[in-house]
Amino acid sequence: MFRFNRPKSEAPAPAETRTLISAEAMDPTRVLGELLSRTSIEGLLEGALAHAATILGGTVKGYAVLRRGQDQVVAVHGYPKTLVGLSLAGPWAQMRPRILTDGSKELYEKNPSSVYAQLDAAGMREVQSSVVVPLTDKGRTLGALMLDRSSAGAITPQQQEAVNRWAAVVTPLLGVFETRDEWRQAARQITTALVEAVESQDFDALGHAQQVAEISQQLGRSVGLSERDLEQLWYGAVLHDIGKINGEAGHASIGANFLHGAPMLAEAQKAIRHHHEHWDGTGEPEKLAGEDIPLYARIVAVANAVAHNQDPTQLRAQAGKTLDPRIVDLALKLPPR
């Protein structure tokens, strides 16, 4: 098995706590810390949907829509992830709180038949009632939460008010995540510019780091890394050769030292330091072998080999010697570049 840590799933709330709007459920401070620890807008809205479903009680599914030119599904709770990225019109268009008692009729009426198959596959024809929860902040209309119940039982005005209050607390956090995304993008641009400046000393190397980063991201998704993990992997991959600014010898260790003052990139630092370790223990700098080599380093090593050589036969020959054989297998399944 690949060695990496996954976040533990939260246990579902007991039925008796889901069927009541308790003071605890209505208190947003109980989960704000957990939401702020999320690493993306999708993660934030998944958590917001889950808590809103708890407030309503019963069997509730939901999806979050943001206005990005078109209204687009960006997160789901209970529904399949295949809905994420889908552009939809819907009963949230006027951005006012509503309780719908005619199921998903309005959703189907407002959208072309070309999306019906996806909606049907998600089970949206079985919806009996819904709550439209607008996401507005200081007059800005950002999107909406849609909470759907397929089981019998009316949604009360008190429940609607509770989820509206919850949305009013969550919506300002979207601005926090937008700012995080802007800073993340700026940090990536600065990092890429630095790497390109180093690569420009050797025209044969131009674009190599970016290529390794792209392949690493594909491999990281193949082994199931989270978005937070993929962010660390990106930095480890794009900076894997940054130590060459001081020459070829020992560049992996030198490059890792560049991140010494960035504890939030500790895993990326390990990827840089150990991407020249070999699966059979003959590499450097510490002669680590097998799964003692950090996972990100093993991924970067394979991505580096793919970027240097597109020949599958030569890549296969390194499996079990210099490279992790399981990651090599994943690399061989990637689309040709």
Side-chain angles (χ1 to χ4, degrees):
M1 301 215 15
F2 292 106
R3 182 183 298 172
F4 59 96
N5 294 325
R6 292 182 180 275
K8 294 182 180 178
S9 300
E10 294 183 0
E16 62 269 24
T17 62
R18 294 199 304 268
T19 57
L20 299 172
I21 311 176
S22 65
E24 183 183 14
M26 292 174 63
D27 180 7
T29 60
R30 186 174 65 87
V31 287
L32 282 181
E34 192 273 335
L35 289 186
L36 280 170
S37 71
R38 305 287 178 119
T39 58
S40 65
I41 287 179
E42 179 182 355
L44 167 70
L45 289 173
E46 284 177 354
L49 286 165
H51 187 62
T54 300
I55 292 172
L56 291 181
T59 303
V60 175
K61 298 180 181 180
Y63 55 100
V65 175
L66 290 186
R67 292 204 152 158
R68 293 175 169 173
Q70 293 179 304
D71 292 346
Q72 189 177 78
V73 178
V74 296
V76 293
H77 170 71
Y79 283 123
K81 286 256 187 185
T82 52
L83 292 178
V84 174
L86 183 64
S87 294
L88 290 176
W92 56 85
Q94 297 174 355
M95 289 298 168
R96 60 183 177 86
R98 299 174 63 191
I99 296 177
L100 309 177
T101 57
D102 55 357
S104 53
K105 178 182 176 183
E106 192 172 338
L107 177 67
Y108 278 83
E109 287 177 346
K110 287 180 176 289
N111 286 284
S113 58
S114 57
V115 302
Y116 287 2
Q118 278 183 271
L119 300 182
D120 289 348
M124 288 189 170
R125 286 197 189 271
E126 285 72 50
V127 172
Q128 294 189 18
S129 57
S130 301
V131 182
V132 181
V133 187
L135 298 172
T136 57
D137 183 41
K138 299 176 182 176
R140 284 197 311 150
T141 300
L142 303 180
L145 304 181
M146 285 295 301
L147 299 163
D148 300 331
R149 180 180 283 167
S150 300
S151 57
I155 296 169
T156 67
Q158 291 81 7
Q159 289 173 316
Q160 181 189 25
E161 176 61 23
V163 293
N164 286 337
R165 286 203 300 270
W166 171 236
V169 174
V170 169
T171 306
L173 299 184
L174 292 174
V176 173
F177 277 80
E178 287 175 351
T179 302
R180 283 185 186 178
D181 287 343
E182 290 169 2
W183 277 105
R184 182 181 293 117
Q185 185 62 28
R188 283 195 170 208
Q189 289 171 346
I190 293 168
T191 302
T192 300
L194 171 64
V195 169
E196 288 176 350
V198 174
E199 289 180 338
S200 67
Q201 299 175 53
D202 177 1
F203 286 107
D204 288 338
L206 277 173
H208 173 69
Q210 192 60 40
Q211 189 176 20
V212 173
E214 290 171 2
I215 299 168
S216 293
Q217 294 288 281
Q218 290 177 291
L219 293 172
R221 289 188 176 92
S222 295
V223 303
L225 295 184
S226 69
E227 289 302 314
R228 185 193 294 264
D229 295 329
L230 289 171
E231 187 77 2
Q232 291 260 355
L233 179 60
W234 184 88
Y235 278 97
V238 84
L239 291 169
H240 75 282
D241 277 345
I242 193 66
K244 288 185 178 179
I245 196 170
N246 282 353
E248 185 74 33
H251 72 267
S253 295
I254 293 169
N257 289 338
F258 274 83
L259 297 184
H260 180 69
M264 71 291 295
L265 292 176
E267 296 303 317
Q269 184 182 34
K270 292 178 186 176
I272 298 168
R273 183 180 304 280
H274 296 293
H275 76 278
H276 282 311
E277 304 282 5
H278 292 170
W279 184 257
D280 62 8
T282 62
E284 57 179 29
E286 296 178 18
K287 298 194 180 298
L288 300 180
E291 292 193 351
D292 287 338
I293 305 169
L295 175 62
Y296 300 171
R298 287 180 267 146
I299 291 174
V300 171
V302 173
N304 193 33
V306 173
H308 276 301
N309 191 339
Q310 302 293 324
D311 184 352
T313 302
Q314 293 188 32
L315 188 62
R316 239 183 236 107
Q318 295 306 311
K321 296 179 181 177
T322 61
L323 303 175
D324 182 334
R326 290 163 297 180
I327 298 177
V328 169
D329 286 343
L330 293 174
L332 291 170
K333 294 174 184 175
L334 296 178
R337 299 183 63 80

